[in-house]
Amino acid sequence: MSTLVYNFGDGTADGSQKLKPLLGGKGASLAEMSRLGLPVPAGFTITTEVCLNFFANDGLWMDGLSDDINTAMNLLEERTGRKFGSPTNPLLVSVRSGAPVSMPGMMDTILNLGLNDKTVEGLAAQTGNPRFAYDAYRRFVKMFGDVVLGIHYSLFNRVETNYKRGKLDDELSVEDFKALIALYKKVIHDEKMTIPDNPKEQLQLAIDAVFHSFNNRHARHFRKKQGIPDDTGTAVNVQAMVFGNMGAESATGVCFTRNPKNGEKVFFGEWLPNAQGEDVVAGTHTPLPLNAASSDNPDANTLEKAMPEVYAHLLELQAQLETHYKDMQDIEFTIEQGKLYLLQTRTGKRSPSASIQIAVDLVHEGLISKEEAIRKVEASSLELILRPVIDPNAPKTIIAKGLDSSPGAACGRVAFTSEAAQALHEKGEPSILVRLDTSPEDIQGMTVAEGIVTAQGGQTSHAAVVARGMGKPCIVGCTEIVVDYERELFYAGDYVIKKGDWITIDGGSGDIMEGKVNTLPPATESGVVQEFLRWADEIALLKVRTNADNGEDASRARELGAVGIGLCRTEHMFFQADALRAMRQMLLAPSEEGRRRALQQILPLQREEFKEIFRAMNGLPVTIRLLDPPLHEFLPKRKENIVALAEDLGLRDSALQDRLTQLHEVNPMMGHRGCRIGVTMPEIYQTQVRAIFEAACHLARENVVVMPEVMIPLISTAKELEICRSYVVEVAEETMTRFGCNIDYKVGTMIELPRACLQAKAIARQAEFFSFGTNDLTQMTYGFSRDDMGKFLPFYLQEGILKENPLSTFDVEGVGELVKIGTERGRHANARLKIGVCGEHGGDPNGIHFFHAIGLDYVSCSPFRVPVARLAAAQAALVERT
Amino acid sequence: MSTLVYNFGDGTADGSQKLKPLLGGKGASLAEMSRLGLPVPAGFTITTEVCLNFFANDGLWMDGLSDDINTAMNLLEERTGRKFGSPTNPLLVSVRSGAPVSMPGMMDTILNLGLNDKTVEGLAAQTGNPRFAYDAYRRFVKMFGDVVLGIHYSLFNRVETNYKRGKLDDELSVEDFKALIALYKKVIHDEKMTIPDNPKEQLQLAIDAVFHSFNNRHARHFRKKQGIPDDTGTAVNVQAMVFGNMGAESATGVCFTRNPKNGEKVFFGEWLPNAQGEDVVAGTHTPLPLNAASSDNPDANTLEKAMPEVYAHLLELQAQLETHYKDMQDIEFTIEQGKLYLLQTRTGKRSPSASIQIAVDLVHEGLISKEEAIRKVEASSLELILRPVIDPNAPKTIIAKGLDSSPGAACGRVAFTSEAAQALHEKGEPSILVRLDTSPEDIQGMTVAEGIVTAQGGQTSHAAVVARGMGKPCIVGCTEIVVDYERELFYAGDYVIKKGDWITIDGGSGDIMEGKVNTLPPATESGVVQEFLRWADEIALLKVRTNADNGEDASRARELGAVGIGLCRTEHMFFQADALRAMRQMLLAPSEEGRRRALQQILPLQREEFKEIFRAMNGLPVTIRLLDPPLHEFLPKRKENIVALAEDLGLRDSALQDRLTQLHEVNPMMGHRGCRIGVTMPEIYQTQVRAIFEAACHLARENVVVMPEVMIPLISTAKELEICRSYVVEVAEETMTRFGCNIDYKVGTMIELPRACLQAKAIARQAEFFSFGTNDLTQMTYGFSRDDMGKFLPFYLQEGILKENPLSTFDVEGVGELVKIGTERGRHANARLKIGVCGEHGGDPNGIHFFHAIGLDYVSCSPFRVPVARLAAAQAALVERT
């Protein structure tokens, strides 16, 4: 074990940013800032190693820790010129957690530590402000009781409310604070506990509490949700207190070196005069804009106006910090009687579009390379820049307006609790979570809600930070609404919105609208995004195609950067009214001849659809999957529809019913579908292939370059593919001969059954390409069906049996192994085999990293995920460069 | 290429038995017999290599073949003292196929080759029997026209029937034969073909025809059915003709060195005086018993009585052959004017019980070792010794009696054609195929029928041989019935049995009974079988357990040699009336508490069931699978039952309907079942575990040794098992403490999902045993469900896409790889892991060989397959010893 305690202050530090795993994010940052000569209150950091040792030894302190802390406290006393526990010149400290990965608001903090009945008098004398001293003492007693002694804060709030009888804090006198302190102490005493008078004992207990807070329920849930490992432990930062609430010359604030909502290069932030930092973060006070750039209101009381010199100093320091860290910084500061202190700086959270704007700007400013820019943006956030917006022409009634803290439009039923949002979610209903403010208890509700509204709090409140992280539309500080939890409704002007009513919110404008308001598909990408994604494409090796079943989706995806279609499903072509009737005739025809006649009617309809798709993808490959679902999906299920169909086709009801019974399947997913249809009723696939090649030949005459890839689904043996392939080729050649044209085409297969992965060698000899259908492959490998897993999946996620829904986040260790086996064996048998993925996981960054690593050629995903996939593909390629 | 033609005759031979792959079974056997000095007509064998070359060169003869055949013919002329094509002393030959693996009756034969309008006169002169000579010529013309020229024999039969006008062959004169020959030649001429006069040309065409017959439809079907490779080709045997139809001193016959029905060591056979061999095999004549031992009728005209000296010679030769070949022989012989010739000997087909009796006797006689005995018996045939028999006390009406040619009782609807039997089979209805006689065209019908009856033919007829091979009950030569194909009925005395009527047959007695007659489970094994299986157990490494869900099955399986239960399903315990009501209460209970109350009622019922099973398996392990199927299986489906249940439980119909809707699953196989129930509703498994351990503790007090192994089904992640395991252990320990007793138990899991195989390492850390559930594993790996595959499986088998139904015959290359991976990884993580198989494949010899090869500890199968598995396990172990 190396050094246990790292000191910082007075322009020096034992540690630095490089020691983040050991000192935590906050500790490393404080050390770094101190080294940079920035005005950081002095203090020291107890390392994460100490924390892990503490866990391993059932909460016992390791040898030497007490001594090292005493030494550090001595140095701190020297640096501050104050004395810990001194009744005349007391040193007060904060004790804060700081893990290697940031978990905002998840863990514990104790402020004003060092106060007791004697030192409070010293503080009063020292500051000449007894009211401030007793207010600080009151806060300390309550916080220590809650955080360290574990007494629920509602017990303190109850006596406090009783005592205040509606008075505001500002109206309380020194005597009131003293009375409150006595009442709090009684609460603690009634719980058979006590706050030690000795500051060193206080410190020891507070350090223990911070260590323990690493494993509290919220923190664990947050880490699970964010995929943060549980074995890092937390560092503890002990730092001399500075006070933003020492009067008119004091203040506290949070600022960003750039606008975290849109990435604009403006200094941006909020402040609160005469307040402590916790007041801003907790969202219990609505803060003021830092400067003109932070507000639309020219009359706002900004720090820039109120304390121009301090503001100028802050402006200078923030620029220095950004240049040093080469990224947008989120900085906490406190002004104590006119003196500026920086308490923390860290990489600022930002909206997805801001994150791209900032990354691109930093490259243009010469601060970072393109590769660094690519690494900086979280791939999955790119889906969010394509989020829907409110239709400007839609009729809408704005009933309230709050702070626009996370962009995007969302529409859902009102839920006032996390539970209510989850209940709606389980019913498949969208919800908007409406709260006074949010806390870590609300995380699960926020996760399932479409959007979040809070009546209180600012741009850096819990709700705003978390919602931005999740990429969810969010409005905070909406003081125009009055939330009544008990009656489950909120008032907004003349409107009363009850639980379950529909509302629409616009996180980009802060508007709350009554009912469902029409939204528009996301705007086309900005030039910045396009530039950014061009850099990604230069780096990526994996190509990105799209799943698209019609010309419109194909065009859209092409605009978003797709370089082909990896999956064009053809089911819907049989479901359109005319085609459906013919399809039904076909299914009910007694002979192959009758089936062929019926199919003949479907052919021209499909040919036109294929033409649209091919035209949109001129010059790019289009993989078309032949019919996949079980045939009974094309027949009616309800009695009246069966009667109507029988009449339409001139059949007896009973004959139709017999056929329906014959087609019924117990497990349709594992039934007569995919190539099993192609093998037993070749005329269906033959018709599709004819439609494909007739469309291609028509377009070839117009000089459209068509590159069809015919894909046979659900192969489990090479023989199935051999049979289907042979007639696909036959029909293709026959059609091209008939049109006298020559189309460059491929025949391949979807690999979506475990056996196909294992048999890939034999199958590859019949195929020019493989496309892993990871949806079905995941379902078969796990043995559960997407339609039925809802009965146990929520429980599985909650209990941590599954970390993620494997249909959303690719299961690398299970399904991944089969994909790897299939790829290796396929390539071994056929080195020219083109291999891609066309399941949902083609747009899952987790999956994309894996698919890159095993050397696939492309992924295919839904159009809106194409930018995500392009970025993830680049990031996957960069992993190898480091 | 080595020698093309191998000669034999006069006590010498170029080849021997060792050259079977090259000379085919028949050719090798003729060579070997000739070497042994046995009276074999001289001849030569054209090798299988020549045949394969013929196929590879589009039917062209290879260089040198003509010359080699000429040389061989010269030698044959020398040996017989006759001349091929001589008008005075003609040599006649037979041309027969003979592949390395026997395909009885599947390929072509041409007799009397060498006859033409001139040589027939020579034959007449030579034998002094013009009638015989022209009969032979007539047969030759018809056979050559049919077999070599490919003219359907019905065309010949038509002119023949017209001509004969009801006369029998015996009543025809030389002139009649000449007239028939002219009529046959006209048929051939009308088909624009001709029989060459030149015997050498005849020979060349006949050899070509025999080569081609290797690939005829019947032969291909037979090979596919029997798993015989297609790439062996056939040899061709050209042999001097000897005639069993040269008058009263001539005869032909087939004999077995032991009784092929029961294995008894008696010389056994059939003969026909003055007939050709084909008359016996084809079943068109009903032959006579060879000796007293072959017949119950003391007055029968046996060869033993008719030609005592020839019989004595045959008796001597058959004993010599059996001693030489060390196995029961099937010998074809012909007596030409008092001289005995052996035409063929081969290992005789036998009934399953005979095969064991013979193997055991041969060991006791010192002819073979125990290991050889084990190798001789086909494992799958052992299931047949356990076939049902007719209940001796059941009321029954015997309507006819035929020859008891393959034992066992069967009951089904009458089908007169292969198609009709297949149609019944597809409806899930059992059938009995009733025919005048059978031919290779009927193979498919015989395959699906429960049993076979023929009105004609003897113990060596096609029907009898094939049925014995299939182990199906069969009665042949039932001359008491009159079959009318046209009206689709048969008469049996006063009874008229129509198509679709039920009949019951006893292949062991030859009785045909009206309607459905009660059958009894198979008799307990004979001492011989037990002795044989004890030898198997000494050799086998793989243990054999059984799948049994109740005490009775468990006892039965133990008698059959099972050394434990590998799969005790517990579903049925919830389906018994009392339990089902409680189960339904539980499923409809709104709370865990209500569920627990309902389960409390089920516990004692299950405990008693477990006690019966444990008692039957005293001292042996019992693997109990906790509840596996989806819960909706326990609720009613039909409206009236739902109403009744709602009333019974005091619920509203709609509430019940809601719950039913909630439990409905789209793909129940992949739904909320197996451990997913155990994880989400632990109280169900907890109740089962409590019942198991209460039963065990009760019995422990009676000194019954209970070894429960609790098996958790459908694991896809280690975590599921960890969770279930922890409460299984908790309940087990709690129960044992309560009873103050200590039971040796294990907790393990069923490996039945592809992911479980891949994750076996992690899973094995939570398990004391694995049991591969190959049924579900096969379904998931292939992505098809047992319930739905009927829609395409028949087509897949027919087209050879699948060689076998993979749910019956283990898929070594696909599913097998997953089992291998699961085994290796499981053992890697936990060297003490016990691993078995409990799917249907536990009784499939194919599977057992694989499971042995990868080192599993045991297989578990249904009770009646336990002997099969014991033998297959021994054979698998012997594979390694060679």
Side-chain angles (χ1 to χ4, degrees), chain A residues 662 664 666-670 676 720 753 755 758 781-785 788 791 796 811 814 817 825, chain B residues 662 664-670 676 720 753 755 758 781-785 788 791 796 811 817 825:
Chain A
Q662 205 186 335
H664 170 77
V666 180
N667 294 289
M669 246 211 97
M670 307 174 76
R676 297 162 196 171
E720 291 168 321
L753 296 174
R755 197 171 188 281
L758 300 170
T781 305
Y782 270 100
F784 53 52
S785 95
D788 302 306
K791 296 195 175 64
Y796 269 45
D811 168 39
E817 181 170 2
R825 296 187 183 174
Chain B
Q662 204 185 336
H664 170 79
E665 295 190 304
V666 180
N667 295 290
M669 245 212 96
M670 306 174 75
R676 297 163 195 169
E720 291 170 319
L753 296 173
R755 195 171 191 283
L758 300 170
T781 305
Y782 270 99
F784 52 50
S785 93
D788 302 307
K791 297 195 175 62
Y796 269 46
D811 169 39
E817 181 170 1
R825 296 187 183 174

Side-chain angles (χ1 to χ4, degrees), chain B residues 550-572:
Chain B
N550 56 57
E552 198 180 317
D553 281 1
S555 300
R556 173 89 195 132
R558 188 167 194 169
E559 280 167 24
L560 292 170
V563 295
I565 291 180
L567 176 62
C568 170
R569 301 177 192 86
T570 55
E571 288 75 90
H572 70 286

Side-chain angles (χ1 to χ4, degrees), chain B residues 8-13 33-38 40:
Chain B
F8 56 84
D10 284 351
T12 69
M33 283 197 289
S34 195
R35 265 174 191 261
L36 288 174
L38 297 173
V40 177

Side-chain angles (χ1 to χ4, degrees), chain A residues 597-614:
Chain A
R597 244 193 333 268
L599 283 165
Q600 204 51 39
Q601 301 171 48
I602 297 177
L603 191 143
L605 302 169
Q606 298 212 345
R607 184 179 57 219
E608 295 313 305
E609 288 235 38
F610 285 126
K611 278 165 79 171
E612 278 187 36
I613 294 165
F614 289 149

Side-chain angles (χ1 to χ4, degrees), chain A residues 78 137 160 170 237 261 329 515 592 602 628 646 734 880:
Chain A
E78 206 173 291
Y137 190 25
E160 183 178 323
D170 289 351
N237 298 291
K261 280 186 294 178
Q329 295 296 299
E592 188 187 317
I602 297 177
D628 185 50
E734 177 272 317
E880 283 171 7

Side-chain angles (χ1 to χ4, degrees), chain B residues 264-283:
Chain B
E264 209 186 335
K265 195 182 178 186
V266 290
F267 183 43
F268 179 95
E270 293 170 332
W271 73 299
L272 270 175
N274 197 17
Q276 286 209 345
E278 303 305 299
D279 300 333
V280 183
V281 175

Side-chain angles (χ1 to χ4, degrees), chain A residues 661-673 675-677 679-680 682 714 716-717 719-720 723 753-756 758-759 776 779-789 791-792 795-796 799-802 811 813-815 817-818 821 825, chain B residues 661-673 675-677 679-680 682 714 716-717 719-720 723 753-756 758-759 776 779-789 791-792 795-796 799-802 811 813-815 817-818 821 825:
Chain A
T661 306
Q662 205 186 335
L663 288 172
H664 170 77
E665 296 191 304
V666 180
N667 294 289
M669 246 211 97
M670 307 174 76
H672 192 187
R673 50 172 286 236
C675 72
R676 297 162 196 171
I677 294 172
V679 166
T680 54
L714 214 71
S716 67
T717 72
K719 187 84 184 172
E720 291 168 321
I723 289 173
L753 296 174
R755 197 171 188 281
L758 300 170
Q759 287 290 298
D776 275 16
Q779 293 179 77
M780 293 298 167
T781 305
Y782 270 100
F784 53 52
S785 95
R786 176 202 297 270
D787 298 320
D788 302 306
M789 65 197 286
K791 296 195 175 64
F792 56 87
F795 190 90
Y796 269 45
E799 295 298 308
I801 297 171
L802 294 172
D811 168 39
E813 60 182 15
V815 183
E817 181 170 2
L818 285 174
I821 288 173
R825 296 187 183 174
Chain B
T661 307
Q662 204 185 336
L663 287 173
H664 170 79
E665 295 190 304
V666 180
N667 295 290
M669 245 212 96
M670 306 174 75
H672 191 186
R673 50 172 285 236
C675 73
R676 297 163 195 169
I677 295 172
V679 166
T680 55
L714 214 73
S716 66
T717 72
K719 187 84 181 169
E720 291 170 319
I723 289 172
L753 296 173
R755 195 171 191 283
L758 300 170
Q759 287 291 297
D776 275 16
Q779 294 180 78
M780 293 299 166
T781 305
Y782 270 99
F784 52 50
S785 93
R786 175 201 299 269
D787 298 320
D788 302 307
M789 64 195 288
K791 297 195 175 62
F792 55 89
F795 191 89
Y796 269 46
E799 295 299 307
I801 297 170
L802 293 174
D811 169 39
E813 61 182 14
V815 182
E817 181 170 1
L818 285 174
I821 288 173
R825 296 187 183 174

Side-chain angles (χ1 to χ4, degrees), chain B residues 146-428:
Chain B
D146 170 16
V147 171
V148 180
L149 303 179
I151 299 164
H152 201 271
Y153 62 86
S154 62
L155 295 178
F156 297 105
N157 285 353
R158 197 185 300 154
V159 296
E160 183 179 322
T161 309
N162 271 344
Y163 181 84
K164 291 206 258 182
R165 298 176 184 270
K167 272 198 214 165
L168 295 178
D169 278 5
D170 289 350
E171 298 168 312
L172 299 180
S173 67
V174 174
E175 295 313 312
D176 288 331
F177 287 135
K178 288 183 178 170
L180 278 173
I181 289 163
L183 287 170
Y184 292 160
K185 284 192 170 175
K186 184 168 183 308
V187 168
I188 293 170
H189 183 261
D190 289 349
E191 295 287 319
K192 315 256 183 291
M193 280 188 267
T194 182
I195 299 181
D197 282 336
N198 183 342
K200 289 200 173 169
E201 282 179 44
Q202 290 177 0
L203 181 61
Q204 180 170 350
L205 291 175
I207 290 168
D208 285 359
V210 170
F211 282 153
H212 284 303
S213 73
F214 183 75
N215 286 323
N216 72 34
R217 203 164 57 84
H218 310 319
R220 286 206 316 274
H221 182 81
F222 184 86
R223 287 198 294 273
K224 194 162 121 185
K225 196 73 216 157
Q226 302 281 325
I228 300 171
D230 274 333
D231 59 0
T232 63
T234 182
V236 180
N237 299 292
V238 178
Q239 200 174 11
M241 283 297 298
V242 290
F243 293 99
N245 56 344
M246 261 193 193
E249 291 299 294
S250 299
T252 189
V254 176
C255 58
F256 294 90
T257 58
R258 300 181 189 229
N259 184 328
K261 283 186 291 177
N262 60 21
E264 209 186 335
K265 195 182 178 186
V266 290
F267 183 43
F268 179 95
E270 293 170 332
W271 73 299
L272 270 175
N274 197 17
Q276 286 209 345
E278 303 305 299
D279 300 333
V280 183
V281 175
T284 50
H285 293 54
T286 302
L288 303 170
L290 193 69
N291 53 14
S294 305
S295 172
D296 297 334
N297 176 4
D299 300 328
N301 179 21
T302 63
L303 180 69
E304 191 175 12
K305 285 190 221 162
M307 305 183 191
E309 279 175 30
V310 176
Y311 177 78
H313 188 196
L314 180 62
L315 191 63
E316 186 188 306
L317 296 181
Q318 65 90 19
Q320 188 186 345
L321 277 169
E322 190 182 88
T323 306
H324 179 71
Y325 283 109
K326 298 181 179 175
D327 203 349
M328 187 265 268
Q329 296 295 299
D330 166 355
I331 303 163
E332 288 178 24
F333 64 91
T334 284
I335 302 163
E336 187 184 83
Q337 297 181 319
K339 177 159 168 41
L340 174 67
Y341 290 98
L342 300 190
L343 302 183
Q344 169 156 299
T345 189
R346 56 186 167 189
T347 301
K349 289 195 184 291
R350 59 203 79 181
S351 74
S353 56
S355 96
I356 294 171
Q357 180 73 52
I358 291 169
V360 170
D361 286 348
L362 290 173
V363 172
H364 289 312
E365 290 162 24
L367 280 172
I368 61 173
S369 68
K370 287 178 187 176
E371 286 76 11
E372 283 165 325
I374 293 297
R375 283 204 184 93
K376 264 186 197 306
V377 178
E378 196 189 327
S380 63
S381 73
L382 268 184
E383 197 179 359
L384 308 171
I385 60 166
L386 302 164
R387 293 174 75 81
V389 295
I390 301 288
D391 180 353
N393 299 316
K396 55 179 170 274
T397 312
I398 297 175
I399 57 172
K401 201 173 168 70
L403 300 176
D404 52 336
S405 59
S406 179
C411 184
R413 291 180 183 277
V414 169
F416 290 102
T417 61
S418 185
E419 289 69 23
Q422 285 172 278
L424 283 166
H425 181 66
E426 271 158 35
K427 283 194 242 159

